[in-house]
Structures are given as structure tokens and as C-alpha cells.
Amino acid sequence: MTSKLIRAALVAIAFAGVAVAATPASAAPSSGFNDWSCHPSAAHPQPLLLLHGLGGNGPGNYATLGPYLASLGYCTYSPTYGEEFPPFPVGGLVSIQQSSQEIAGVLDHILATTGAAKVDIVGHSEGGFQSLYIPKVLQYSNKVARVVAIAPPAHGTTFAGLVDVAGLLGIRSQVDFVLNTFGCPACDELITDGSAVAALNNGPIAQSGVAYTIIASRSDELVTPTSTAFVNEAGVHNEYVQDSCPLDPVGHVGLAFDGDVARMVANALDPEHTAPVVCTVGAPL
């Protein structure tokens, strides 16, 4: 029964999209989604590194947001990181540190390929955590201009209360064992007292020179905004989806595919050229 509950919790946080291979274009555009011939424009000099959530993959998690940001003139890249079993496009499962090193390699490759001095990072769920973790723990803040983290478990998650219940029942060690046996070290590291969470929260999270925006939903039952997602530090702007769209019931997974969230992300990336948020009704998942 416990294993079934854990699987349900993992399904709640995961989005396993369909992997799409990146195909270089014949010309060098000033925007593109997973297009390694892309060259950033003067209007958007930082390429975008898009980081998916736990159990997802880059092309699937950003099937909506990636092309949307590319249509605004950005070079956007959405790699799949942290695959426990590479034949299957399910990422974010290995340890946070291992995934962060993999992501850092992609980040360096983007800079070398595009000639840009810095990237902007957009991360959803675990990807949002990595967008905070890499500038601080890997000391990559000099390579990052902006971070837009969507529902990051910055202070850890309890998998919708599952871990708290396990603790009360005295079966926390069994839960930890099952999570690791299922091939998900990152799961154990992202709970409220996990090792990666401890590393991120050891001192200030926000790094000098990086502009941070955190976007969360009041309807998110997995990563609760005020206690889990938001970072109350100088240089960090925290906002609810419902601040702009009070009736949007969008949940944790749905944030990556929500139209008003997409506009909020775009505004955070380019605050000098914002546009009104046109409210939609996101998936309450």
C-alpha cells in the first residue's frame, strides 16, 4: 500500500512527455526552439535554458512554453537531464548534484555555441529548484542573468503530505528505501529535510548579479507557495498566478502549460517590455 501511495505522489510531480530530437535549421535564425543554429538577437541577447520537472523531459515539459518563448525572439533550449534509464525519456531522477553537473555542461555548451555571455534559466518544479541550485551551489551566478522558477520546491516538498504521514506512522525509512529503489535519488533529496534542500538553504539562496522571479499557484497542492516555493530575499520577486488571474485553478503540473503563466514568464524575462496577462483556465493538476 505504501508503494502505491509513493507511486501516486511521483505521478503527481512528474510529467513524462514525448521526447523530440533537436534538428538544426538550414539558416541561422534569431530565435528557435532546440535549434542549435540559433543566434540570439540584440533584443534578447541571453539564450534560454529551460529545465523540466521530476519525471519529465525537456521537449515534453516545454512543448507549449518553449515554442511560445521562441516565437517572441528567444533562442530556447530544453534538454532532458538526470535520466536513470537513458533509453526512456524520463529525467530528473538521479541525484540533484549529478543532474546539476549535467545541466551545467549543457549551459556551457549553449554559451560556447551561441557566443552569449550569460543565459537566462526558466525551470519548472525540480527544474525550478535546479535554477536556484546551480547559480549558488555550483557557483554559476556569473553565467546566469535571470532565473524564472515556476513552483520550485526551494525549501523542500512533502510529496503532498506523504512524507509527513510516513513520519507519523514510523515508516519514513521504508519510504526512503522505496524511493531510492525505484531509481529516484532526487526524490529523497527534495523532501523538506533532504540533502539538496539543505545545501540550497545553507545561507542566502539569491546570488548577486542574478535577477530572480518565482511564480507559484495558490492551487498547487504539491509545492505550497509561501512555505515551499517562495524565497523571501532581496533580489527575488515572488508572485502568484492568481495575482493576475484570480480564477485560474492551475495546479502544479499544469503550470508548465498555462497560457497566463507563459505571459508572466515572458514579462519576467523582459521586464522593460511587458504585456498584459490574458487569463486562461489552466489544468488543476
Side-chain angles (χ1 to χ4, degrees), residues 216-256:
S217 173
R218 295 182 188 273
S219 302
D220 191 333
E221 296 183 357
L222 186 64
V223 176
T224 51
T226 53
S227 62
T228 301
F230 286 164
V231 174
N232 296 310
E233 297 177 13
V236 182
H237 174 66
N238 299 298
E239 59 181 323
Y240 288 109
V241 173
Q242 288 77 17
D243 291 341
S244 297
C245 298
L247 300 181
D248 189 352
V250 64
H252 185 78
V253 176
L255 284 163

Side-chain angles (χ1 to χ4, degrees), residues 36 47 49 77 102-116 119 140 143:
W36 288 95
L49 175 57
Y77 304 90
E102 182 182 347
I103 294 166
V106 175
L107 190 159
D108 287 334
H109 183 56
I110 291 172
L111 294 180
T113 301
T114 62
V119 303
Y140 259 55
K143 299 182 180 183

